[in-house]
Amino acid sequence: MEEQSEVLANLHGILIVHKDYDQISQLSLYLKEQGYYCDHAKSGLEAIKKFETEDGFKTLIIQENNIPLNAYKTIDYIKTELNKNPYSIVLQEESEGTEIVASQKLVPVDQFYVLGDDINILLQHIKNQGEEDLNVEQSPYYSIDYLKEISDNNTEFIEESLQLFSLSVAKDIGELYLKVKAKDYEEIRKIAHKIKPSFAMVENFKGVELCDEITYKAKEEDFKKLIKELFTEFAEIQNALKRDYPNLNLQ
């Protein structure tokens, strides 16, 4: 364990979480060839244990429908309970029975990387993230990494996007409370589905998970509690944004 920790301290550690190592062995080998320390975990629970006991993992690549914890629950636990903030990428599998390199995509929130075709772009983002982590203390409630990515780090675009997030989500959550009073449950599901990409944009995975819960799984008696939890998470993001961007016109 001490020897492994020493290796991690000197290299950018990448943890890949997938139930079948054979399916990600090509990716793991490629990352090792590029000079990264790469480890494997079979489940979200095993990943959490590794983050808890080992230092140096700066990137997490995780299978979306992981059992018993899916990708978003695992990422949320690592960020909120362990207070660690890895660059998190979700591995989606499109279909069965096809070549692994062609059938799997890497998704940092909602941007896609097709393994094989875009792996060098992915590696560049991992390198960039490692450099940024040396200088930037990130909020546990939101991240602007995705906005930096799609805007080439354009400050004006990032601030406009954060302001739009604040205004639109505040309005939509207000609508959710009205629809609960009216017992319009179908409309609640539609609004939650609409809000989800906004939480994904700022990489708040708890918000993403709550939107999914409201949209697909909640029973009538669950809506009020889940909406309150969603509002609480939104309020935490708002507080962090107001602290970090005092000049923005936030709700």
Side-chain angles (χ1 to χ4, degrees):
M1 182 66 73
E2 289 183 6
E3 183 179 344
Q4 181 167 301
S5 296
E6 187 176 342
V7 172
L8 272 169
N10 295 310
L11 290 174
H12 182 123
I14 300 175
L15 181 63
I16 305 178
V17 185
H18 196 289
K19 62 185 176 183
D20 184 355
Y21 176 76
D22 290 341
Q23 294 196 37
I24 52 88
S25 59
Q26 289 176 293
L27 173 61
S28 179
L29 177 61
Y30 187 87
L31 291 170
K32 289 175 182 177
E33 289 173 347
Q34 302 306 308
Y36 292 97
Y37 174 82
C38 196
D39 200 2
H40 170 248
K42 291 182 179 179
S43 69
L45 291 174
E46 187 178 339
I48 288 168
K49 186 67 175 176
K50 284 182 178 290
F51 269 91
E52 189 174 22
T53 58
E54 301 173 26
D55 291 323
F57 288 118
K58 296 181 175 65
T59 298
L60 174 67
I61 301 174
I62 181 169
Q63 184 182 19
E64 182 177 32
N65 296 319
N66 209 265
I67 297 175
L69 297 177
N70 68 21
Y72 301 107
K73 289 180 179 177
T74 302
I75 293 167
D76 180 63
Y77 187 94
I78 289 170
K79 290 191 173 187
T80 60
E81 299 299 323
L82 302 184
N83 199 28
K84 296 188 178 182
N85 195 35
Y87 181 50
S88 301
I89 300 159
V90 178
L91 180 63
Q92 289 188 334
E93 299 179 16
E94 294 186 292
S95 59
E96 297 180 359
T98 57
E99 291 291 329
I100 294 304
V101 170
S103 69
Q104 295 185 343
K105 290 182 177 181
L106 292 171
V107 190
V109 188
D110 58 351
Q111 180 159 334
F112 291 84
Y113 292 97
V114 180
L115 294 188
D117 295 343
D118 294 339
I119 191 66
N120 288 322
I121 299 174
L122 169 66
L123 284 175
Q124 188 58 51
H125 288 159
I126 291 174
K127 289 175 184 176
N128 291 344
Q129 181 67 16
E131 292 170 1
E132 290 170 4
D133 284 344
L134 295 175
N135 302 310
V136 180
E137 183 179 349
Q138 297 193 18
S139 166
Y141 295 105
Y142 81 96
S143 168
I144 60 170
D145 292 339
Y146 173 66
L147 294 173
K148 285 181 178 179
E149 220 170 78
I150 63 174
S151 69
D152 197 23
N153 203 13
N154 183 297
T155 301
E156 184 178 353
F157 175 87
I158 291 168
E159 291 184 351
E160 287 178 356
S161 298
L162 293 175
Q163 188 156 315
L164 179 62
F165 166 84
S166 172
L167 295 171
S168 64
V169 175
K171 180 177 179 295
D172 287 335
I173 290 181
E175 284 292 314
L176 285 175
Y177 276 106
L178 292 175
K179 298 303 178 184
V180 164
K181 289 182 179 179
K183 297 185 178 181
D184 191 346
Y185 302 121
E186 187 60 31
E187 192 62 24
I188 289 171
R189 296 185 194 278
K190 290 179 182 178
I191 294 172
H193 182 69
K194 174 188 170 187
I195 294 175
K196 176 183 172 180
S198 296
F199 280 96
M201 180 183 74
V202 297
E203 299 189 52
N204 181 289
F205 299 106
K206 185 172 182 179
V208 170
E209 183 69 26
L210 286 167
C211 287
D212 274 341
E213 188 81 14
I214 294 168
T215 304
Y216 301 111
K217 302 175 184 177
K219 298 178 181 178
E220 291 182 6
E221 61 270 22
D222 299 328
F223 284 118
K224 190 172 181 180
K225 174 178 175 291
L226 290 170
I227 291 169
K228 183 178 179 180
E229 288 181 26
L230 189 65
F231 173 76
T232 299
E233 195 65 19
F234 173 66
E236 294 288 3
I237 298 171
Q238 287 289 80
N239 290 335
L241 288 174
K242 287 175 182 177
R243 181 190 64 239
D244 298 340
Y245 298 91
N247 296 325
L248 290 186
N249 180 26
L250 301 175
Q251 287 291 300

